[in-house]
Amino acid sequence: MMQYPEAVYALALRRIPGVGAVMACRLMEQMGSAQAVFAERHTSASGTHRAHRLMQALDNPIYLQEAAQEYELMQSKGIGMLTWNAPDYPTALSQCVDAPPVLFACGDMRCLHSPHLLSVVGTRNITHYGKAVTQHLIGELAKQVPDAVIVSGLAYGVDITAHEAALQCGLKSVAVLGHGLDRIYPHRHTATAKQLVSQGALVTEYSFGTKPERYHFVGRNRIIAGLSPATLVIESAEKGGSLITADLAIGYDRDVLAVPGRVGDPYSKGCNRLISEHRAQMVTSADDIVAILGWNAGQRMEIPELPFAEPDLPDSPLLKILHGADSVHINDLVRLSGMDIRSVTAELFDLELDGYVMAIPGGLYSLPPRL
């Protein structure tokens, strides 16, 4: 039998029908390597009828031939291949029973070994509150733990907000994809994905040509949960992918953290339930994250306070009403300001464009966190 790099044998093993992630890693562990599974296939596949079928598949040269072609393609594209039993495979992920036998990676793969990996997940329908919380928590975490690495899935909502917040704060970030590295889904996030390659990494278990099918994202979620010692849920409805990721993290005996939300908010019900059922620890600040995970806050990065003058706020009666209030309905703004509805609507539009107010579903308005 022709000799190939270990990654080729691992790629071939995952191509065999009926050999999933769990069986592939068990075979590699039992025999010592993917190469040994093929070299000693009459030993690794013996006994049952199912094992006999496996032996027949291992005897078929097509799997190794196709794997060798895939390996050469990945090499030509500069894509890294991390096999489950190799030293460069992420340690935390290798401890998961259903870890992928091979990971494809593009970017700075060293960040996959950071002691301060944190997975951040949540709803695709992120609210203004969720966006502000995500940006605030990651910004504060960057000051305290400047080598933190944010892991997420590059999806709409909390995912992309977490990636972008990390990049803006100078943190590295890892996006786990539910498709091959020859495409980016959603396409709108291509620019962020390119930045992640230079300031983090893109990883996937799927080969080139694999489309973003719905069931692939469930598999993707287990990698997000497995890469990190903890998963932080920012916003989540009662059902959804972020709760699946939280369940996977619990199954891997990892910490689950959750940000509480407003009572009755549909995109906070999942987080609030995780907390109330004691399946997640409540997080309201970066201090909570550092304390729960036992990270060394002594690495705090001192950011100089530059003597910028505070901007003068517009002399708006609407801003005066909103100051000190959690949120105010537009009808109450009309009543309290004495202005007509058209004037209030026009002024709110201008203030929102300038970043002085933000709209909340239900006709509510509030000040952004910084004001």
Side-chain angles (χ1 to χ4, degrees):
M1 180 184 294
M2 182 182 296
Q3 295 298 304
Y4 297 105
E6 172 68 8
V8 172
Y9 294 100
L11 289 171
L13 195 57
R14 62 192 279 278
R15 286 175 170 271
I16 296 175
V19 177
V22 175
M23 180 182 289
C25 292
R26 283 180 179 173
L27 287 170
M28 292 165 70
E29 182 177 28
Q30 176 186 347
M31 303 306 297
S33 69
Q35 180 179 359
V37 174
F38 282 88
E40 303 174 35
R41 54 193 177 278
H42 296 282
T43 301
S44 58
S46 60
T48 66
H49 176 68
R50 183 179 180 185
H52 178 69
R53 290 171 55 190
L54 173 59
M55 185 178 68
Q56 288 182 316
L58 292 171
D59 274 328
N60 190 338
I62 188 64
Y63 299 114
L64 279 172
Q65 292 169 4
E66 291 176 348
Q69 293 173 359
E70 183 175 16
Y71 179 84
E72 291 176 3
L73 176 62
M74 297 297 105
Q75 290 283 90
S76 69
K77 300 292 184 181
I79 304 298
M81 286 162 282
L82 313 177
T83 57
W84 174 79
N85 55 344
D88 56 356
Y89 194 91
T91 304
L93 186 60
S94 70
Q95 297 167 352
C96 301
V97 65
D98 53 356
V102 181
L103 270 183
F104 301 102
C106 183
D108 184 2
M109 289 174 276
R110 295 172 299 178
C111 63
L112 298 173
H113 298 274
S114 169
H116 300 132
L117 285 156
L118 176 66
S119 295
V120 179
V121 298
T123 179
R124 293 173 184 240
N125 302 302
I126 192 170
T127 67
H128 289 289
Y129 167 76
K131 190 169 185 177
V133 167
T134 304
Q135 293 169 339
H136 175 74
L137 286 178
I138 292 177
E140 290 301 306
L141 185 64
K143 297 176 184 177
Q144 297 195 40
V145 189
D147 67 338
V149 177
I150 302 301
V151 178
S152 198
L154 203 68
Y156 288 114
V158 171
D159 285 22
I160 192 64
T161 302
H163 288 306
E164 291 178 345
L167 295 173
Q168 290 166 7
C169 295
L171 296 180
K172 292 185 181 298
S173 187
V174 174
V176 184
L177 309 180
H179 48 79
L181 284 171
D182 56 333
R183 69 191 70 211
I184 291 298
Y185 176 83
H187 182 71
R188 185 180 296 181
H189 297 162
T190 299
T192 302
K194 290 180 178 178
Q195 191 174 354
L196 286 169
V197 173
S198 60
Q199 197 175 324
L202 304 177
V203 302
T204 183
E205 66 177 316
Y206 299 110
S207 304
F208 269 29
T210 305
K211 296 180 180 180
E213 304 290 351
R214 180 180 294 273
Y215 60 90
H216 289 160
F217 292 97
V218 177
R220 182 272 312 266
N221 290 345
R222 85 184 194 285
I223 300 176
I224 294 176
L227 277 172
S228 304
T231 293
L232 170 63
V233 187
I234 301 286
E235 281 190 316
S236 175
E238 285 187 289
K239 297 180 180 179
S242 53
L243 292 186
I244 293 173
T245 308
D247 286 339
L248 289 165
I250 292 170
Y252 296 148
D253 197 24
R254 309 292 168 82
D255 286 305
V256 175
L257 319 175
V259 174
R262 297 178 181 180
V263 174
D265 188 328
Y267 294 112
S268 290
K269 286 184 177 180
C271 289
N272 292 343
R273 178 169 293 180
L274 283 172
I275 295 169
S276 67
E277 293 177 351
H278 305 290
R279 298 168 62 224
Q281 299 188 67
M282 185 173 70
V283 163
T284 60
S285 68
D287 289 335
D288 292 339
I289 298 172
V290 171
I292 292 169
L293 300 182
W295 289 354
N296 182 9
Q299 303 176 52
R300 181 182 297 270
M301 179 171 60
E302 294 298 330
I303 298 178
E305 293 290 335
L306 298 179
F308 292 140
E310 287 293 326
D312 293 328
L313 297 179
D315 184 19
S316 165
L318 301 183
L319 286 180
K320 293 176 182 177
I321 295 170
L322 289 169
H323 264 293
D326 186 29
S327 62
V328 181
H329 195 276
I330 188 171
N331 292 339
D332 292 324
L333 288 173
V334 171
R335 178 176 56 83
L336 294 171
S337 67
M339 300 165 61
D340 60 80
I341 183 66
R342 289 187 178 180
S343 298
V344 169
T345 301
E347 185 162 333
L348 284 173
F349 179 76
D350 291 337
L351 291 170
E352 188 174 5
L353 283 179
D354 292 334
Y356 292 116
V357 304
M358 62 182 190
I360 302 173
L364 297 170
Y365 286 84
S366 71
L367 299 181
R370 67 178 187 276
L371 296 180

